């Protein structure tokens, strides 16, 4: 046996209060506060998913690009296919369809979240902390203008994608809560017509509510809204007129946030 610790790698578990390691064909748990060691079960822990393993996505209905979204438990990717939401297994690539009602002009699709504190453009869903639910964005573009996209290769032809024009109908969005096990859908009651919904800041740590932002078409007025994931009912936490540049950053406890606003022409927190 070589000098030093009898293993080459380990994994943090229990919210980084312990580490899991293998040696001599057995798995052990080391508690970092007491340094007590106990033998773990033979069940293999879920592997941490690297973002590079997620496949790139393109929404045929909107023309935006993004990535599949891994579940917190490491078992699934949320993905898109034929204007609907699917799950792809991280173990064997098995596909499970969650929705069946998506069509080109009323699609579960990638759509940018502008004015976010993080780079999260073209994100279409957010997993609950326990991986049991998904909040997905549905894009209603039937009345919006179609803009042509000409590809460099003439054989690819021309595609037309929905874009909101200043003098025309807005591309509408709504949020749907999906129970992964039952596939039950619940529409979030956002209470506003002609709206833009952003998926940030996201789930509360206990998974009881989903927080999102509701904007008017100029992004000048922004509301922070909380949705009850059991009923779909919402409550407005606050509203602001940040001059088109509001940003929100979640603190580690998940229940407090820093709001950046330029309501008086200067950025303040």
């Amino acid at each position: 046996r070589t000098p030093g610790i009898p293993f080459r790698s380990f994994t943090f578990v229990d919210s980084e209060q312990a580490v899991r390691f293998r040696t001599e064909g057995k798995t052990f748990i080391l508690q970092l506060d007491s340094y007590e060691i106990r033998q773990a079960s033979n069940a293999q822990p879920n592997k941490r998913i690297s973002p590079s393993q997620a496949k790139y996505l393109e929404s045929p209905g909107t023309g935006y690009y993004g990535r599949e979204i891994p579940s917190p438990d490491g078992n699934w990717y949320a993905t898109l296919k034929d204007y609907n939401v699917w799950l792809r297994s991280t173990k064997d690539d098995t596909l499970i369809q969650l929705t069946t009602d998506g069509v080109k002009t009323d699609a579960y699709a990638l759509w940018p979240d502008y004015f976010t504190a993080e780079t999260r453009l073209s994100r279409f869903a957010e997993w609950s902390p326990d991986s049991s639910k998904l909040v997905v964005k549905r894009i209603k573009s039937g009345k919006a203008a179609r803009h042509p996209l000409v590809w460099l290769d003439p054989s690819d032809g021309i595609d037309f994608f929905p874009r909101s024009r200043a003098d025309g109908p807005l591309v509408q969005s709504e949020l749907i809560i999906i129970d992964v096990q039952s596939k039950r859908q619940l529409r979030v009651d956002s209470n506003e017509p002609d709206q833009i919904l952003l998926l940030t800041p996201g789930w509360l740590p206990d998974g009881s509510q989903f927080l999102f932002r509701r904007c008017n078409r100029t992004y000048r007025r922004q509301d922070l809204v909380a949705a009850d994931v059991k009923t779909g009912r919402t409550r407005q936490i606050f509203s602001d007129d940040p001059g088109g540049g509001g940003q929100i950053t979640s603190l580690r406890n998940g229940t407090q946030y820093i709001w950046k606003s330029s309501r008086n022409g200067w950025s303040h927190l």
Side-chain angles (χ1 to χ4, degrees):
R1 177 180 297 181
T2 57
I5 58 177
F7 53 89
R8 293 187 177 182
S9 63
F10 62 89
T11 303
F12 282 107
V13 295
D14 298 335
S15 300
E16 299 187 353
Q17 300 301 308
V19 295
R20 181 194 298 263
F21 64 91
R22 287 182 63 81
T23 183
E24 298 180 355
K26 298 178 181 180
T27 301
F28 296 90
I29 300 293
L30 167 66
Q31 296 296 143
L32 296 180
D33 55 352
S34 64
Y35 290 99
E36 177 185 354
I37 297 178
R38 60 181 172 84
Q39 187 172 342
S41 65
N42 293 326
Q44 294 296 319
N46 289 326
K47 294 181 179 179
R48 188 179 298 273
I49 297 176
S50 168
S52 63
Q53 295 174 287
K55 295 181 180 179
Y56 279 100
L57 297 174
E58 179 187 0
S59 287
T62 64
Y64 285 107
Y65 291 84
R67 283 183 180 271
E68 296 175 321
I69 304 173
S71 60
D73 64 9
N75 290 328
W76 300 99
Y77 290 109
T79 189
L80 294 171
K81 180 183 177 184
D82 300 328
Y83 312 113
N84 281 287
V85 180
W86 295 65
L87 297 180
R88 182 172 69 86
S89 171
T90 59
K91 299 178 176 63
D92 57 11
D93 288 336
T94 298
L95 287 172
I96 297 177
Q97 188 168 3
L98 291 184
T99 67
T100 58
D101 53 345
V103 294
K104 186 173 183 178
T105 57
D106 193 355
Y108 299 92
L110 294 161
W111 197 259
D113 271 11
Y114 297 112
F115 301 121
T116 55
E118 304 173 358
T119 303
R120 304 178 70 170
L121 293 181
S122 300
R123 195 171 173 91
F124 72 95
E126 292 289 342
W127 284 95
S128 64
D130 64 358
S131 303
S132 67
K133 294 181 176 64
L134 274 170
V135 171
V136 298
K137 185 179 290 189
R138 190 166 183 173
I139 304 301
K140 297 177 176 292
S141 60
K143 297 181 180 180
R146 256 51 187 178
H147 287 212
L149 177 61
V150 182
W151 299 100
L152 292 178
D153 188 343
S155 64
D156 290 333
I158 300 176
D159 287 328
F160 290 85
F161 296 117
R163 297 293 183 267
S164 299
R165 292 172 46 175
D167 60 344
L170 188 69
V171 175
Q172 300 284 332
S173 58
E174 64 180 14
L175 301 181
I176 307 294
I177 302 171
I178 301 177
D179 184 280
V180 172
Q181 187 68 30
S182 66
K183 302 183 183 180
R184 176 177 174 265
Q185 297 182 28
L186 179 66
R187 180 181 177 275
V188 172
D189 182 11
S190 52
N191 297 322
E192 291 282 344
D194 207 27
Q195 63 193 351
I196 299 169
L197 304 181
L198 308 182
L199 288 170
T200 51
W203 291 86
L204 292 187
D206 63 1
S208 63
Q209 298 182 78
F210 184 82
L211 272 60
F212 64 95
R213 285 185 294 159
R214 180 177 58 206
C215 310
N216 62 2
R217 67 183 303 151
T218 63
Y219 286 90
R220 291 194 62 86
R221 195 201 81 237
Q222 296 192 33
D223 306 325
L224 181 61
V225 183
D228 187 307
V229 299
K230 293 182 178 180
T231 65
R233 295 176 181 173
T234 58
R235 60 183 178 89
Q236 181 174 305
I237 298 175
F238 73 87
S239 182
D240 188 24
D241 184 355
Q247 292 183 347
I248 188 168
T249 302
S250 173
L251 300 182
R252 287 188 175 182
N253 61 15
T255 60
Q256 293 178 305
Y257 305 89
I258 297 176
W259 181 265
K260 179 181 178 182
S261 176
S262 305
R263 68 183 73 176
N264 65 351
W266 299 89
S267 292
H268 293 282
L269 302 179

